[in-house]
Amino acid sequence: MDLNIKRVGTRSVVYVEGDIDLYSSPELRETVLDLFRKRQQEQIIVNLAEVPYIDSSGIASLVEGLQEARKQNRRFVLVGLREGPRHVLELTRLLNVFEIAETEEAVT
């Protein structure tokens, strides 16, 4: 898994490429939580367009990001969900818990 962060105005976009699994999810978790700690006025967008697979540990990392966002009253948006990750979120009944957009441009 590769992570890249791009700051655009008041938002940070985390671009994730590759599978999010037991081995890579701690890096995603730490990246997202670190952004919430350091960038107080931002919304965090996680772009999953290049993620074909996510397991339960990856979902747990995203849930932690969502919990931190809610604690700080900030936005945490998932964009570009492919079929595999979308299906996992449906199975775990979390699809409607997260704010989800098709593209970054759709996040206003």
Side-chain angles (χ1 to χ4, degrees):
M1 180 189 75
D2 288 319
L3 298 175
N4 291 300
I5 300 167
K6 179 179 171 186
R7 292 191 173 90
V8 181
T10 61
R11 60 174 63 166
S12 287
V13 182
V14 180
Y15 294 93
V16 186
E17 186 176 334
D19 294 342
I20 305 173
D21 57 22
L22 180 63
Y23 302 103
S24 60
S25 63
E27 182 182 2
L28 174 61
R29 176 190 173 278
E30 190 56 37
T31 298
V32 168
L33 294 179
D34 194 47
L35 285 170
F36 277 118
R37 284 186 218 115
K38 291 181 177 178
R39 309 290 292 191
Q40 293 301 318
Q41 299 305 314
E42 291 195 22
Q43 52 184 283
I44 308 299
I45 298 171
V46 180
N47 188 318
L48 300 170
E50 298 299 321
V51 175
Y53 172 81
I54 187 168
D55 70 7
S56 60
S57 62
I59 296 295
S61 294
L62 294 175
V63 168
E64 284 189 65
L66 178 62
Q67 289 172 331
E68 188 63 29
R70 287 181 174 171
K71 196 181 329 178
Q72 294 186 25
N73 197 29
R74 293 166 60 193
R75 286 180 80 188
F76 183 71
V77 185
L78 306 180
V79 301
L81 282 176
R82 291 170 68 172
E83 185 178 340
R86 181 178 294 277
H87 184 67
V88 172
L89 287 172
E90 287 173 354
L91 288 174
T92 56
R93 300 183 188 267
L94 293 171
L95 191 61
N96 294 324
V97 173
F98 286 96
E99 182 178 353
I100 296 174
E102 290 301 315
T103 65
E104 291 173 43
E105 295 76 27
V107 180
T108 57

